[in-house]
Amino acid sequence: RSFYYAPPKKETTHEMVVEKIEGMGKLELVKYTLKDVVTHKEVYEWFPDPKVLLIIAGEAVGCLDLSQIDSSQVVFMGDSIVVNLPEPEFCYVKVDHQNSQFYETQYTYWNEAEMIDEAYKLAEIEIQKAAGQSQVLDQTRQQARLVLRPMLESLTGKKVILLFPVPKLKVE
């Protein structure tokens, strides 16, 4: 007779509650996919430096919040319509964990998980910075013109002029 070990049965219950419902009016227009090669290490004076190597994937999505447009932003002028659009914004900037890869660790005997977690957090900060310095919002403006103008012109039969707020200059 052989001894058979049956693994334990797993039971999980969920009690989902809808906490809040919000109406959204954001039109996603541009998505940047970013990659960050991260080497994260801790430098010790007498021991080998533990390090991890990861390739972190990220996304930055530019959008327009169409819920900010009301009748005061739409002006009819003869055979034309002028629409004052809101300033483009980031819908989200995030790390894409499914497409991120962990490659290598060295000398991370007791703190591998903590080092990997810290590297992900640092990569998320860098992806936020890179998105802010990229042309995502300019591309969002261009894409809005490419998507919205033809749609509005075909709906109204009029020439459509899309305007954005003048960007504020940064004084340093």
Side-chain angles (χ1 to χ4, degrees):
R1 250 177 158 199
S2 66
F3 178 74
Y4 173 70
Y5 171 73
K9 294 180 182 174
K10 296 180 182 184
E11 293 180 4
T12 304
T13 60
H14 295 272
E15 299 294 328
M16 187 69 61
V17 176
V18 175
E19 187 174 302
K20 185 177 184 180
I21 298 172
E22 290 182 60
M24 305 289 287
K26 295 191 178 184
L27 176 63
E28 294 182 7
L29 293 162
V30 174
K31 178 175 161 181
Y32 274 40
T33 302
L34 309 160
K35 293 270 185 178
D36 186 13
V37 178
V38 180
T39 302
H40 179 62
K41 69 180 180 179
E42 293 178 353
V43 180
Y44 289 97
E45 190 172 332
W46 301 104
F47 299 107
D49 299 337
K51 73 176 181 178
V52 295
L53 174 64
L54 304 101
I55 296 182
I56 308 293
E59 295 177 351
V61 174
C63 63
L64 290 179
D65 187 354
L66 298 180
S67 68
Q68 294 181 20
I69 300 173
D70 60 24
S71 61
S72 68
Q73 275 91 29
V74 180
V75 179
F76 294 87
M77 296 176 16
D79 66 343
S80 299
I81 301 172
V82 178
V83 181
N84 292 292
L85 295 171
E87 187 65 37
E89 61 186 56
F90 287 102
C91 283
Y92 60 88
V93 178
K94 68 176 185 173
V95 168
D96 178 358
H97 291 277
Q98 285 186 320
N99 290 313
S100 296
Q101 297 173 332
F102 154 72
Y103 274 97
E104 179 183 22
T105 60
Q106 290 180 348
Y107 310 113
T108 58
Y109 309 113
W110 55 87
N111 63 343
E112 182 174 291
E114 292 85 13
M115 286 189 69
I116 291 171
D117 187 48
E118 190 173 347
Y120 269 104
K121 288 177 183 173
L122 293 170
E124 189 164 12
I125 291 167
E126 286 303 309
I127 287 171
Q128 295 271 349
K129 284 181 193 175
Q133 295 169 355
S134 71
Q135 300 297 313
V136 172
L137 298 180
D138 290 334
Q139 288 286 324
T140 303
R141 276 185 200 85
Q142 291 175 12
Q143 192 65 16
R145 288 184 180 103
L146 290 173
V147 170
L148 293 176
R149 182 182 293 137
M151 180 180 68
L152 293 172
E153 286 179 346
S154 69
L155 286 173
T156 63
K158 296 182 180 254
K159 180 180 177 192
V160 173
I161 301 166
L162 301 175
L163 300 177
F164 289 95
V166 176
K168 295 177 182 144
L169 295 176
K170 293 181 184 178
V171 179
E172 295 180 18

